[in-house]
């Protein structure tokens, strides 16, 4: 008897491949890794199915499995199912989905063992310590002070210095014993007192965590500073008390450290973190600990949604509206969508937390698919700040800085308070232009302008990374009359430093936080109160709890009001609300100034009144009128090629294939060039599919995807399917 083994293999292919194995007495299981021949290469794949066959006839066309890498199931069934669902829903090659969902060392076959370390334990009562040397005595004393008279070797070294030989001689005397144990961070045994929750918080906790565990989604909508994180901590405590695990997803921002510390301070539990700042090795270890049930809380960004957790009891998604939950390349999944599917498959509650829920989530709550839990006041009793609009066409103190806002900044720093200024543009200036002939510095590879970065005397493209020296002469007419227009973070920082030479000013953007740990350092300095003025992009808008900030200024609020993208106003409302939430969190009240050329725009009325819900209601109505999400489903098929014609022709062929099926429910729009057509040397085009009926849209794709994948031009271009795109740019 032989086995036919179905394997998912990395790469762009949409099917799985059959191999055979003659080793049918081994205990084969799904989720094991195998090494298989593929063309001239050897690849690591994942076992998806095993079938017994009696005769050898079926095997003729198959190749043999080269090697099995695991003795037991490595990827649990629940995760295989989730990956299969993801591959199916996002119409993405299955092997590639495994690559995205798993740590690199797991998917490339490198590791599957949890690291061990050496512990030392006291053997029995020791009465004859006099005969021992000094070092040996202190080892015994140290072990006696530990629970179960046991300590890690590394810990002994830290406290007593190198003491290897003393340890070995104590072992020889039979006084202590070496043990192997799992390498894992200690749990915090000195947790700080729990904050007692207010009524709304307590009710949220009690509603989410009940005895009868079933799939139940909740929207925890709490204004900024209302104590959502505190609710998560109390919920986690309850879940841990029942020996279950908690999965917490957080956005991809510099905030992880602060967030994790709060959990570590208040819970004595094994907590692991899975974000982009850890190494592949650490990620693999954290993943293995979670898979074995040894990590009780997993806190991670997007891809952590695929972490195997044998005793998963609850999923929490913090800042559920955040766009970093959607992957924007290869497998374009949304971690919130996958998390909801996971919670449903595993029949557990899931909490989506936000001060500014996404329009989709609000829609589901209105339809009573999600239960709403509201936190309506700031937990510390602080009031929400006053918001004032400033006409950005009025008098100015500097480019992009109105005189009115300037005066307010001066008053606050004189009173020794902190000021936070947002401008969503890094660099010095977005335009370099010749006064004589109107030439502008454009990127050669993109339909975009080069951004002036003055402190390095460079022009940089923020889309493709192209860099060149800052010009002093116009390349078109040779005039030296070059001027910059507009302002970015660097310019605001520089101008303010000129006005306030005494004040410590910090800039927080992608340029200033690139180095590892730079962001934490800046955040620390802000919390210590050292910095007086903080100038930053929206990186600084999210989640931070700075108590001395009394004034927040938004310098360029108009962008979102006029953007071509269907989600722009939603994002602006979320950003303004988040930014606003940074002011007046401590004892002193806060004020927010928003500079806009559209002071009469109805959008601002809701923002001034802190009425995100009403703004969202209008957006829902707009989406409903236009049959946009969540009222209609979207799919964008994108292509890019070095030649414009190839990119467009491919999508024309795709459109033709899709139109072969008589399908009244699905609208096929385009293809059209992308709004920024040329980027990093590629011409980009897109085809939009919309439907009120999600199923039909997916059926149409399923029906034709093989035909599309077989198109000849495919080798000359890159293409992707984006299900539920978060933008159409
Ligand atoms: P959010 O996550 O909603 O922004 P946090 O959980 O960070 O809010 O809470 C904001 C601040 O209020 C924190 O400093 C937190 O310690 C404090 N806080 C939260 N809940 C309470 C409570 N019940 N009593 C007193 N302070 C609280
Ligand atoms: Zn010129
Ligand atoms: Zn460029």
């Amino acid at each position: 008897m032989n086995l036919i083994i179905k394997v998912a293999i990395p790469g762009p292919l949409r099917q799985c491949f059959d191999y055979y194995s003659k080793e049918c007495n081994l205990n084969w299981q799904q989720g094991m890794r195998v090494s298989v021949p593929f063309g001239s290469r050897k690849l690591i794949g994942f076992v998806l199915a095993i079938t017994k066959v009696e005769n050898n006839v079926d095997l003729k066309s198959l190749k043999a499995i080269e090697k099995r890498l695991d003795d037991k199931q490595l990827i649990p069934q629940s995760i295989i199912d989730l990956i299969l669902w993801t591959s199916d829903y996002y119409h993405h090659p299955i092997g590639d989905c495994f690559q995205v969902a798993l740590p690199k060392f797991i998917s490339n076959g490198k590791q599957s063992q949890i690291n061990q370390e050496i512990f030392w334990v006291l053997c029995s009562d020791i009465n004859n310590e006099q005969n021992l040397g000094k070092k040996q005595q202190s080892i015994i004393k140290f072990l006696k002070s530990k629970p179960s008279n046991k300590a890690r070797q590394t810990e002994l070294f830290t406290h007593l210095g190198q003491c290897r030989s003393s340890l070995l001689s104590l072992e020889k005397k039979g006084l202590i014993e070496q043990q192997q144990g799992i390498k894992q961070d200690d749990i915090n045994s000195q947790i700080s007192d729990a904050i007692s929750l207010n009524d709304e918080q307590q009710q949220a906790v009690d509603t989410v965590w009940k005895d009868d565990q079933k799939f139940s989604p909740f929207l925890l909508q709490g204004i900024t500073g209302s104590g959502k994180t505190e609710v998560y901590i109390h919920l986690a405590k309850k879940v841990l008390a029942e020996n279950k695990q908690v999965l917490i997803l957080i956005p991809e921002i510099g905030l992880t450290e602060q967030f994790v510390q709060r959990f570590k301070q208040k819970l004595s539990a094994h907590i692991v973190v899975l974000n982009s700042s850890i190494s592949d090795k650490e990620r693999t270890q954290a993943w293995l600990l979670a898979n074995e049930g040894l990590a009780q809380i997993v806190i991670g960004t997007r891809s952590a949604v695929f972490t195997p957790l044998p005793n998963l009891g609850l999923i929490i998604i913090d800042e559920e509206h955040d766009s970093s939950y959607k992957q924007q390349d290869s497998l374009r999944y949304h971690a919130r969508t996958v998390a909801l599917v996971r919670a449903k498959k595993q029949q557990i509650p899931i909490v989506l937390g936000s001060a500014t829920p996404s329009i989709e989530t609000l829609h589901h709550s209105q339809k009573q698919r999600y239960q709403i839990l509201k936190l309506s006041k700031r937990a510390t009793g602080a009031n929400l700040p006053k918001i004032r609009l400033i006409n950005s066409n009025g008098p100015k103190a500097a480019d992009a800085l109105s005189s009115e806002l300037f005066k307010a900044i001066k008053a606050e720093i004189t009173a020794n308070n902190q000021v936070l200024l947002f401008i969503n543009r890094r660099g010095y200036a977005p335009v370099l232009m010749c006064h004589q002939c109107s030439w502008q510095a454009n990127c050669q590879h993109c339909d975009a302008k080069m951004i002036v970065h003055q402190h390095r005397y460079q022009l940089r493209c923020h889309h493709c990374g192209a860099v060149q020296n800052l010009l002093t002469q116009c390349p078109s007419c040779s005039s030296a009359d070059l001027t910059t227009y507009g302002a970015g973070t660097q310019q605001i920082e520089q101008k303010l430093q000129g006005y306030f030479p005494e004040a410590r000013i910090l800039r927080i953007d992608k340029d200033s936080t690139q180095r590892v740990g730079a962001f934490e350092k800046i955040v620390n300095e802000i919390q210590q109160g050292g910095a007086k003025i903080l100038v930053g992009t929206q990186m600084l808008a999210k989640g931070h709890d700075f108590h001395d900030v009394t004034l927040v200024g938004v310098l360029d609020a108009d962008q979102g009001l006029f953007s071509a993208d269907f989600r722009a106003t939603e994002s602006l409302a979320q950003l303004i609300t988040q930014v606003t939430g940074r002011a007046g969190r401590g004892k002193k009240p806060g004020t927010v100034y928003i500079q806009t050329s559209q002071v009469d725009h109805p959008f601002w009325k809701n923002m001034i009144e802190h009425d995100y819900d009403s703004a969202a209601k209008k957006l829902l109505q707009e989406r409903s009128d236009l049959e946009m999400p969540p009222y209609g489903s979207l799919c964008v098929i994108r292509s890019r090629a070095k030649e414009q014609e190839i990119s467009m022709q491919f999508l024309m062929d795709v459109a033709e294939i899709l139109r072969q099926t008589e399908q009244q429910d699905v609208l096929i729009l385009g293809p059209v060039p992308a709004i920024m057509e040329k980027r990093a040397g590629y011409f980009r085009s897109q085809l939009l599919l919309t439907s009120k009926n999600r199923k039909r849209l997916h059926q149409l794709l399923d029906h034709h995807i093989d035909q599309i994948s077989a198109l000849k031009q495919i080798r000359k271009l890159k293409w992707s399917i984006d299900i539920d795109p978060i933008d159409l740019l």
Side-chain angles (χ1 to χ4, degrees):
M1 201 171 58
N2 293 299
L3 299 175
I4 294 184
I5 296 182
K6 191 167 155 196
V7 181
I9 284 174
L13 296 159
R14 285 174 188 278
Q15 79 262 42
C16 296
F17 292 85
D18 285 344
Y19 289 85
Y20 74 83
S21 169
K22 292 192 183 294
E23 299 169 301
C24 50
N25 48 350
L26 296 181
N27 178 24
W28 280 91
Q29 284 186 18
Q30 289 172 288
M32 288 175 163
R33 297 171 300 172
V34 286
S35 159
V36 291
F38 192 79
S40 58
R41 295 176 297 164
K42 295 254 185 304
L43 296 176
I44 304 295
F46 295 89
V47 174
L48 290 185
I50 303 131
T51 329
K52 285 182 182 153
V53 281
E54 298 296 340
N55 56 26
N56 285 348
V57 183
D58 300 333
L59 305 183
K60 274 228 174 92
S61 57
L62 302 182
K63 291 181 180 169
I65 298 260
E66 197 216 26
K67 196 172 148 200
R68 201 175 88 179
L69 305 186
D70 302 301
D71 307 330
K72 54 178 192 154
Q73 183 176 43
L74 181 68
I75 322 292
Q77 193 59 46
S78 60
I79 296 301
I80 296 176
D81 288 347
L82 194 64
I83 296 174
L84 289 173
W85 180 88
T86 307
S87 166
D88 193 47
Y89 183 81
Y90 290 101
H91 302 270
H92 194 79
I94 175 71
D96 223 33
C97 292
F98 273 93
Q99 302 277 314
V100 172
L102 302 172
K104 222 196 224 142
F105 286 178
I106 297 293
S107 58
N108 69 12
K110 260 199 190 142
Q111 250 185 17
S112 63
Q113 298 295 324
I114 296 176
N115 288 341
Q116 303 275 316
E117 66 177 322
I118 297 168
F119 289 80
W120 290 97
V121 204
L122 219 53
C123 279
S124 52
D125 280 350
I126 307 158
N127 21 34
N128 205 3
E129 280 170 50
Q130 270 72 7
N131 293 338
L132 301 175
K134 228 179 179 176
K135 197 88 183 217
Q136 295 182 359
Q137 283 185 31
S138 41
I139 290 171
I140 302 284
K141 200 166 147 208
F142 189 81
L143 291 177
K144 276 186 174 167
S145 74
K146 289 274 146 189
S148 337
N149 297 344
K150 178 173 170 179
R152 296 157 200 275
Q153 178 165 289
T154 48
E155 200 184 351
L156 283 158
F157 288 177
T158 316
H159 283 89
L160 307 173
Q162 236 311 343
C163 52
R164 213 177 147 68
S165 55
S166 313
L167 285 167
L168 292 175
S169 43
L170 283 172
E171 188 185 28
K172 235 184 198 160
K173 291 178 186 149
L175 298 177
I176 64 171
E177 195 177 80
Q178 208 179 125
Q179 282 179 4
Q180 288 280 323
I182 282 164
K183 187 166 180 176
Q184 189 174 23
D185 285 348
D186 281 327
I187 58 173
N188 180 6
S189 53
Q190 291 166 329
I191 49 174
S192 51
D193 290 343
I195 288 183
S196 52
L197 298 179
N198 63 36
D199 290 348
E200 283 181 328
Q201 287 173 314
Q202 190 60 53
Q203 190 169 2
V205 172
D206 295 341
T207 313
V208 172
W209 194 250
K210 298 221 180 70
D211 297 334
D212 57 328
Q213 289 297 286
K214 58 177 196 302
F215 171 58
S216 37
F218 298 92
L219 163 60
L220 178 63
Q221 186 177 8
I223 63 166
T224 51
S226 58
K228 293 184 289 297
T229 313
E230 215 52 50
V231 170
Y232 305 153
I233 292 169
H234 278 74
L235 272 171
K237 206 178 203 168
K238 289 202 163 193
V239 180
L240 295 180
E242 302 201 13
N243 288 324
K244 294 196 169 153
Q245 295 169 292
V246 188
L247 172 63
I248 306 175
L249 299 180
I250 52 173
E252 252 172 38
I253 40 175
L255 206 71
T256 324
E257 197 43 40
Q258 266 187 328
F259 189 85
V260 173
Q261 280 314 322
R262 281 180 71 179
F263 277 78
K264 286 192 174 162
Q265 277 158 16
K266 303 218 166 137
L267 298 170
S268 64
H270 284 296
I271 300 177
V272 297
V273 179
L274 289 162
N275 65 9
S276 55
S277 71
I278 61 173
S279 67
D280 288 335
K281 214 162 137 192
E282 290 170 311
R283 180 186 308 278
T284 308
Q285 283 304 309
W287 187 93
L288 288 166
L289 289 169
N291 195 17
E292 288 295 324
L294 295 168
Q296 296 162 286
I297 301 181
V298 171
I299 302 178
T301 46
R302 188 174 60 227
S303 65
V305 72
F306 294 106
T307 313
L309 295 149
N311 309 313
L312 183 59
L314 173 71
I315 302 177
I316 294 169
I317 306 185
D318 189 31
E319 310 286 359
E320 63 85 32
H321 64 278
D322 196 278
S323 58
S324 70
Y325 287 123
K326 170 91 172 163
Q327 179 149 310
Q328 296 284 41
D329 56 9
S330 96
L331 169 58
R332 293 166 183 257
Y333 69 104
H334 200 301
R336 184 183 60 220
T337 306
V338 177
L340 281 156
V341 168
R342 183 168 184 182
K344 190 162 186 188
K345 281 179 187 286
Q346 301 193 225
Q347 290 294 305
I348 54 166
I350 175 168
V351 177
L352 314 180
S354 178
T356 53
S358 62
I359 298 297
E360 277 79 1
T361 298
L362 281 174
H363 174 69
H364 290 307
S365 334
Q366 282 175 3
K367 295 268 169 209
Q368 264 127 51
R369 290 181 203 128
Y370 306 165
Q371 194 176 335
I372 304 189
L373 306 165
K374 284 218 170 185
L375 306 180
S376 56
K377 336 178 251 301
R378 279 190 162 174
T380 52
N383 287 320
L384 283 170
K386 281 208 171 56
I387 303 179
R388 303 192 39 181
L389 298 178
I390 301 175
N391 189 339
S392 55
N393 295 324
K396 289 208 172 76
D399 227 347
L401 185 66
S402 64
S403 312
E404 209 176 334
L405 179 52
F406 175 75
K407 267 188 230 145
I409 296 171
K410 195 169 174 179
E412 291 306 320
I413 61 170
T414 311
N416 211 19
N417 294 324
Q418 276 179 332
V419 175
L420 226 127
L421 297 176
F422 288 94
I423 177 159
N424 226 353
R425 191 184 290 131
R426 65 197 168 88
Y428 184 84
V431 182
L432 179 70
M433 193 169 155
C434 170
H435 239 159
Q436 296 302 322
C437 75
S438 302
W439 168 91
Q440 292 188 11
N442 292 319
C443 177
Q444 288 174 356
H445 317 285
C446 305
D447 293 332
K449 294 192 171 45
M450 296 293 274
I451 311 292
V452 180
H453 281 247
Q454 209 172 40
H455 65 305
R456 291 223 173 122
Y457 300 101
Q458 280 176 341
L459 287 170
R460 285 194 211 164
C461 174
H462 287 182
H463 298 284
C464 71
V467 178
Q468 68 182 80
N469 289 335
L470 190 56
L471 302 167
T472 49
Q473 232 184 14
C474 172
S476 171
C477 75
S478 302
S479 155
D481 197 1
L482 295 177
T483 348
T484 63
Y485 285 93
T489 44
Q490 291 173 5
Q491 185 172 156
I492 299 295
E493 178 193 20
Q494 196 186 82
K495 293 265 159 76
L496 287 173
Q497 197 68 76
Y499 286 124
F500 307 110
E502 313 278 271
R504 173 98 171 114
I505 301 180
L506 286 181
R507 177 164 54 83
I508 303 95
D509 56 24
K510 221 163 127 187
D511 301 308
S512 72
T513 55
Q514 228 160 25
R515 256 178 292 138
V516 179
F519 192 86
E520 279 76 27
K521 219 176 125 199
I522 290 174
V523 167
N524 250 332
E525 188 169 350
I526 301 172
Q527 273 165 342
Q528 308 297 329
K532 284 294 152 236
I533 305 177
L534 321 164
V535 181
T537 55
Q538 58 172 298
M539 247 180 137
L540 198 58
K542 301 169 183 178
H544 296 283
D545 200 13
F546 304 136
H547 280 234
D548 292 333
V549 173
T550 50
L551 171 65
V552 165
V554 181
L555 302 190
D556 57 347
D558 288 351
Q559 283 176 9
L561 290 178
F562 303 111
S563 166
D565 190 54
F566 78 99
R567 227 176 272 269
T569 316
E570 176 185 351
S571 305
L572 181 65
Q574 288 162 347
L575 181 68
I576 295 292
T577 309
Q578 293 289 337
V579 161
T580 303
R582 298 312 118 216
R585 289 172 79 94
K587 298 209 170 63
K588 298 176 198 163
T591 316
V592 177
Y593 284 73
I594 296 173
Q595 296 186 163
T596 170
S597 63
Q598 307 291 314
V599 279
D600 298 323
H601 198 292
F603 172 81
W604 292 120
K605 189 168 179 293
N606 295 141
M607 291 296 106
I608 290 175
E609 291 167 357
H610 300 285
D611 192 358
Y612 177 81
D613 278 359
S614 295
K617 217 181 222 163
K618 281 180 206 151
L619 290 171
L620 272 166
Q621 188 55 52
E622 265 175 48
R623 298 269 185 93
S624 162
D625 295 345
L626 298 169
E627 294 189 2
M628 291 296 264
Y631 299 92
S633 289
L634 301 184
C635 163
V636 183
I637 304 182
R638 295 190 175 87
S639 76
R640 62 190 164 100
K642 294 271 185 200
E643 286 164 60
Q644 184 194 36
E645 207 193 318
I646 292 177
S647 170
M648 281 296 273
Q649 187 60 50
F650 169 69
L651 290 185
M652 280 185 216
D653 294 350
V654 172
E656 203 180 301
I657 290 173
L658 293 173
R659 286 189 179 116
Q660 285 164 4
T661 311
E662 195 70 36
Q663 188 57 273
Q664 288 173 341
D665 289 347
V666 183
L667 267 176
I668 301 171
L669 303 166
V672 292
I675 291 181
M676 184 198 281
E677 185 180 17
K678 197 175 163 203
R679 185 170 176 164
Y682 285 92
F683 288 89
R684 310 180 312 144
S685 325
Q686 58 193 43
L687 184 69
L688 178 64
L689 276 55
T690 78
S691 179
K692 279 201 81 166
N693 187 329
R694 176 189 298 275
K695 251 201 191 125
R696 287 283 163 72
L697 196 154
H698 283 253
Q699 278 166 356
L700 185 67
L701 284 168
D702 278 334
H703 194 71
H704 291 293
I705 197 135
D706 288 337
Q707 218 178 334
I708 294 171
S709 308
L711 282 171
K712 271 205 213 80
Q713 316 95 295
I714 244 164
R715 266 169 285 148
K716 294 192 211 151
L717 52 86
K718 298 225 165 29
W719 74 290
S720 64
I721 295 176
D722 191 353
I723 299 289
D724 308 334
I726 56 166
D727 61 51
L728 302 179
L729 297 176

